[in-house]
Amino acid sequence: MKKRNVILTTLFSLLIIVGFGACRHGYHRGGFDEFDLAAATNRIASRLDLSESQKSELKEIITDIATSAKEMRADRETRHRELANLVRQDTIDRETVDMMITAKFDQMRELADNAASRLIAFHATLSPEQREKIAEHVEEHTAADRGFFRQ
C-alpha cells in the first residue's frame, strides 16, 4: 500500500509539472524571436494609440519579460534530465520532488512579480481612454478560446 502511494504521488507530481508546461497558451516551440516581439508591440501600440514614449516603454517591458522567460527556459534541459534520473530511481524521495516543484514555482513567481511591477508602472502612463480600450477588449474576449489582443 505504501509503495502504491509513493507511485501515485510521483505520477501526480509529474503530471502537475508537465501540465504547467503544456498549458501555455500561444506557446512557440523555439520561443519568441525579435520579430514576434516587435509584432506584438506594434499591434498593442496601434490598438491603444500609444505615444512614442509609451511605445518605447512597452517595448522595454516586453523585451524584459521575454528575456526573463528565456533565462527560465535555459535550464529546462537540465531540469528534464534531473526528472528523468529521478524517475529511474527505485524509490523517489518526497522532499526531492517537492524541492523540484518549489524551485520551478519560485522561478515562475519571480517572473510574475517582475512582470506585474513593470505592468503596474506602465498602467500609470496610460490615459483613461487607453485604459477603457483595454477594459472593453478584456470584456469582449472573456471566452476561454480567445487570447488577449487577438482577433
Side-chain angles (χ1 to χ4, degrees):
M1 185 69 172
K2 187 176 182 180
K3 187 174 183 178
R4 180 176 166 241
N5 288 342
V6 170
I7 291 171
L8 289 175
T9 302
T10 302
L11 289 175
F12 181 71
S13 299
L14 291 174
L15 285 174
I16 288 175
I17 292 170
V18 171
F20 276 113
C23 292
R24 293 174 290 184
H25 182 73
Y27 172 67
H28 292 275
R29 184 159 290 282
F32 288 99
D33 61 15
E34 286 71 28
F35 175 76
D36 293 331
L37 297 176
T41 304
N42 291 336
R43 184 172 59 246
I44 293 169
S46 69
R47 291 187 180 165
L48 294 178
D49 297 321
L50 296 180
S51 68
E52 285 303 315
S53 64
Q54 289 173 321
K55 188 175 178 179
S56 68
E57 186 174 349
L58 177 65
K59 181 180 179 183
E60 183 181 316
I61 291 169
I62 289 175
T63 303
D64 184 43
I65 293 171
T67 301
S68 297
K70 283 181 183 178
E71 289 170 1
M72 250 179 59
R73 287 185 50 84
D75 67 341
R76 181 174 184 222
E77 187 176 321
T78 303
R79 282 193 322 272
H80 283 202
R81 266 189 264 115
E82 289 173 358
L83 182 60
N85 290 336
L86 184 67
V87 172
R88 286 186 181 106
Q89 295 177 3
D90 290 334
T91 60
I92 297 176
D93 182 27
R94 174 64 187 222
E95 288 182 30
T96 305
V97 173
D98 288 344
M99 284 179 14
M100 291 175 75
I101 292 171
T102 301
K104 182 62 178 176
F105 280 158
D106 288 346
Q107 284 182 327
M108 292 169 57
R109 170 60 65 191
E110 184 179 327
L111 177 64
D113 288 346
N114 181 35
S117 298
R118 298 294 304 268
L119 293 172
I120 289 169
F122 182 69
H123 176 267
T125 68
L126 297 174
S127 70
E129 294 81 17
Q130 291 168 328
R131 291 179 192 154
E132 184 59 30
K133 284 181 184 180
I134 294 171
E136 288 173 0
H137 195 82
V138 169
E139 290 172 347
E140 290 171 5
H141 294 84
T142 56
D145 63 336
R146 298 294 304 229
F148 193 74
F149 279 111
R150 293 184 184 194
Q151 297 209 26

